[in-house]
C-alpha cells in the first residue's frame, strides 16, 4: 500500500523558487569545472556531447526535483550512468590531477545526492525505497569503476583510496536519503498532530453540543409534558409554563450560536462558559421542569481553572438531564459538592434505579468520562442503594 505524498509547508511557488535558486548556485560553483574538463578531455566528439549533456541535465534537474522528484531522479540516474561508463578524461585537468580520471569524479556528480534527497523527501512510498536500492547499485558500479584509479595516490597507498572511495560514496548516499526521509517523517508527524488536534476539537465541540442540546431539550420536553397536565387543572398557569419553555429555548440557542461561531471562526465574541457559580441556576431550571433537586456543598470552595469548572458544571448538567429523561417524575435527585484541599468531589444521585447517564451505552456517560479525564480527574457511574450515582473527582 502506498501513502500519500507528504505535503510541504508554505506555497508551492516558494519551494520552486528556492529549488531554482539552489540549481543556479550549484551550476555556478560546479558546472564550469566539469564543462572545461570534458571539452579538453580528448574523449572523442560523441562522448564529449554525451558527457556535456549529462552534466547540464543533472544541474537542470535540481530546479525541478522539488516538484517532480521521481522523474528527476530517474533521468538523473541515466545521466550518472553515462558519467560512470564514459572514458577517462585527459587534457590539462588530467595533468593537474596526476593522471587521467573517470568523468564520474567531476564535481557535478555531487548534484545526484540532491536528487536522491528530493525523492526521499517528497515522493510517496515505495519510491524512496526504490531510489535507495537503485542508488546503492550505482554506488557499486562507481566503486568498481574507480577501484584501480591511480591519478592521486601511489599504488602503495591504494587501500587508502579504496577505503576513502567506498566510505564517501556510501556515506553521501546514506546522508542524502536519511535527511530526505527525516523531512518526510517530520512533515507527516506534524500533519498527524494537526489531525489529532482537529479530532480532539471535534470531540470537544460534540460534547458541548450534546450537553447543551440534550439538557435544553430534556428540560423543555419535561416542562411541556408537565405543563399539559398543569394547564388542564389551572389554565391560568399557561403563560408561566410557556415562558419557562421559551427561556430554556433561548438559552440553548445562545450557547449553540457561540459554538457555531467557533466552527465558523467567527470574530464575534463567544458567550462566557458556565462555571460552578452557575449551578444554582441550573438546579432551578431543572426544578422548573418538575424534578425535585437538592444541592448541597461542604468544605471551603477553591478556585479551579476555567476548564475544570466547566467540566464540573457539564457533568452535573448531563447527569441531571438524564435524570429528567429516564427517571420517574416523582424522583428526587441530589447534587453534592465536597470541597477538599486537593480538589473537588461531585456526586449526583437519584432515588430511582434508572441511571442518570442513560443505559451507559450512549454518548452521555462516555462524554462525561472524557471531559473529566481531559482535566486530570476520574469518574465512576453505576447503581447503588436502589438508585443511581455518578461520582467525579476533579483535582485542584
Amino acid at each position: 500500500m502506498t501513502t500519500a505524498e507528504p505535503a510541504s509547508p508554505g506555497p508551492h511557488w516558494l519551494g520552486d523558487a528556492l529549488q531554482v535558486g539552489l540549481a543556479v548556485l550549484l551550476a555556478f560553483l560546479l558546472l564550469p569545472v566539469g564543462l572545461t574538463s570534458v571539452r579538453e578531455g580528448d574523449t572523442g566528439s560523441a562522448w564529449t556531447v554525451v558527457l556535456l549533456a549529462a552534466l547540464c541535465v543533472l544541474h537542470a534537474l535540481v530546479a525541478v526535483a522539488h516538484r517532480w522528484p521521481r522523474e528527476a531522479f530517474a533521468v538523473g540516474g541515466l545521466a550518472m550512468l553515462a558519467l560512470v561508463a564514459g572514458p577517462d578524461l585527459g587534457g590539462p585537468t588530467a595533468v593537474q590531477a596526476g593522471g587521467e580520471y573517470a568523468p564520474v569524479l567531476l564535481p557535478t556528480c555531487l548534484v545526484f545526492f540532491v536528487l536522491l534527497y528530493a525523492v526521499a523527501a517528497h515522493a510517496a512510498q515505495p519510491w524512496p525505497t526504490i531510489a535507495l536500492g537503485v542508488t546503492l547499485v550505482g554506488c557499486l558500479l562507481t566503486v568498481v569503476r574507480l577501484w584501480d584509479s591511480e591519478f592521486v595516490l601511489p599504488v602503495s597507498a591504494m587501500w587508502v583510496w579504496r577505503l576513502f572511495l567506498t566510505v564517501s560514496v556510501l556515506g553521501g548516499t546514506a546522508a542524502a536519503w536519511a535527511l530526505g526521509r527525516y523531512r518526510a517523517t517530520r512533515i507527516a508527524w506534524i500533519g498527524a498532530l494537526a489531525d489529532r488536534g482537529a479530532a480532539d476539537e471535534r470531540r470537544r465541540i460534540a460534547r458541548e453540543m450534546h450537553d447543551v442540546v440534550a439538557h435544553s431539550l430534556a428540560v423543555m420536553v419535561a416542562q411541556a409534558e408537565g405543563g399539559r397536565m398543569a394547564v388542564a387543572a389551572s389554565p391560568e398557569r399557561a403563560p408561566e409554563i410557556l415562558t419557562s419553555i421559551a427561556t430554556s429555548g433561548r438559552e440553548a440557542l445562545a450557547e449553540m450560536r457561540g459554538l457555531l461561531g467557533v466552527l465558523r471562526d467567527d470574530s464575534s465574541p463567544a458567550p462566557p462558559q458556565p462555571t460552578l457559580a452557575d449551578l444554582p441556576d441550573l438546579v432551578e431550571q431543572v426544578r422548573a421542569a418538575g424534578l425535585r433537586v437538592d444541592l448541597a456543598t461542604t468544605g471551603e470552595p477553591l478556585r479551579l481553572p476555567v476548564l475544570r469548572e466547566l467540566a464540573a458544571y457539564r457533568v452535573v448538567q448531563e447527569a441531571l438531564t438524564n435524570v429528567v429523561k429516564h427517571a420517574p417524575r416523582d424522583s428526587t435527585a441530589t447534587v453534592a459538592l465536597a470541597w477538599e484541599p486537593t480538589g473537588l468531589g461531585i456526586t449526583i444521585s437519584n432515588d430511582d434505579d434508572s441511571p442518570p447517564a442513560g443505559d451507559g451505552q450512549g454518548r452521555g456517560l462516555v462524554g462525561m468520562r472524557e471531559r473529566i479525564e481531559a482535566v486530570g480527574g476520574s469518574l465512576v457511574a453505576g447503581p447503588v442503594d436502589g438508585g443511581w450515582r455518578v461520582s467525579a473527582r476533579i483535582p485542584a
Side-chain angles (χ1 to χ4, degrees):
M1 179 181 294
T2 60
T3 57
E5 179 177 337
S8 300
H12 279 296
W13 66 264
L14 179 59
D16 292 341
L18 293 175
Q19 199 73 21
V20 171
L22 176 62
V24 171
L25 177 62
L26 291 176
F28 176 78
L29 295 176
L30 307 179
L31 188 56
V33 175
L35 295 179
T36 301
S37 300
V38 171
R39 285 198 303 266
E40 299 175 352
D42 300 327
T43 59
S45 59
W47 271 111
T48 298
V49 171
V50 171
L51 295 178
L52 288 176
L55 295 177
C56 294
V57 165
L58 282 171
H59 283 284
L61 290 174
V62 175
V64 298
H66 174 78
R67 187 172 288 274
W68 297 293
R70 293 174 298 177
E71 294 80 359
F73 176 83
V75 176
L78 294 176
M80 286 296 297
L81 184 60
L83 294 174
V84 171
D88 288 348
L89 300 176
T93 56
V95 172
Q96 296 175 3
E100 295 184 348
Y101 58 94
V104 74
L105 288 172
L106 291 173
T108 292
C109 293
L110 296 174
V111 167
F112 183 74
F113 292 132
V114 178
L115 304 182
L116 176 60
Y117 167 85
V119 75
H122 301 294
Q125 285 288 7
W127 295 108
T129 304
I130 293 174
L132 178 62
V134 170
T135 304
L136 290 177
V137 173
C139 290
L140 177 60
L141 296 177
T142 302
V143 170
V144 171
R145 175 72 168 83
L146 301 176
W147 191 253
D148 293 323
S149 297
E150 301 178 11
F151 67 95
V152 175
L153 300 174
V155 176
S156 60
M158 186 58 68
W159 68 271
V160 177
W161 160 248
R162 290 171 177 170
L163 177 62
F164 172 78
L165 170 66
T166 304
V167 171
S168 299
V169 172
L170 293 179
T173 298
W177 190 83
L179 285 173
R181 293 314 299 157
Y182 167 76
R183 182 185 185 279
T185 302
R186 180 175 177 273
I187 291 178
W189 179 69
I190 292 174
L193 286 181
D195 291 341
R196 189 173 69 180
D200 290 343
E201 184 64 11
R202 285 195 297 270
R203 284 193 293 269
R204 185 191 71 80
I205 293 174
R207 287 195 300 265
E208 292 291 330
M209 293 288 286
H210 174 273
D211 292 344
V212 171
V213 173
H215 172 74
S216 300
L217 289 180
V219 170
M220 291 168 67
V221 169
Q223 289 173 336
E225 290 178 345
R228 182 177 55 188
M229 295 181 291
V231 168
S234 305
E236 69 277 4
R237 294 192 58 194
E240 174 190 349
I241 295 171
L242 292 175
T243 300
S244 179
I245 294 174
T247 300
S248 298
R250 281 193 295 269
E251 291 176 355
L253 283 175
E255 291 197 59
M256 287 184 64
R257 287 194 188 101
L259 291 173
L260 294 176
V262 173
L263 289 175
R264 292 193 306 265
D265 194 22
D266 198 344
S267 58
S268 59
Q273 296 287 0
T275 65
L276 290 175
D278 298 308
L279 277 183
D281 294 336
L282 174 66
V283 169
E284 287 301 325
Q285 189 179 45
V286 176
R287 287 172 180 165
L291 180 70
R292 293 193 299 272
V293 183
D294 294 329
L295 176 62
T297 302
T298 60
E300 185 67 26
L302 304 175
R303 185 174 182 83
L304 297 179
V306 174
L307 289 180
R308 293 180 181 177
E309 290 220 3
L310 176 61
Y313 179 92
R314 292 302 190 197
V315 165
V316 175
Q317 182 185 52
E318 175 63 19
L320 291 179
T321 298
N322 283 288
V323 173
V324 172
K325 290 193 297 185
H326 299 286
R329 294 189 58 80
D330 58 352
S331 298
T332 299
T334 301
V335 178
L337 304 181
W339 290 98
E340 300 174 1
T342 56
L344 171 64
I346 305 172
T347 302
I348 308 97
S349 59
N350 65 301
D351 57 7
D352 184 79
D353 58 2
S354 299
D359 58 4
Q361 304 300 319
R363 288 297 306 168
L365 182 57
V366 174
M368 284 194 290
R369 181 169 287 112
E370 288 178 349
R371 189 184 292 279
I372 292 297
E373 290 177 353
V375 296
S378 60
L379 183 140
V380 178
V384 57
D385 297 334
W388 193 273
R389 177 182 298 167
V390 175
S391 298
R393 171 76 185 177
I394 299 178

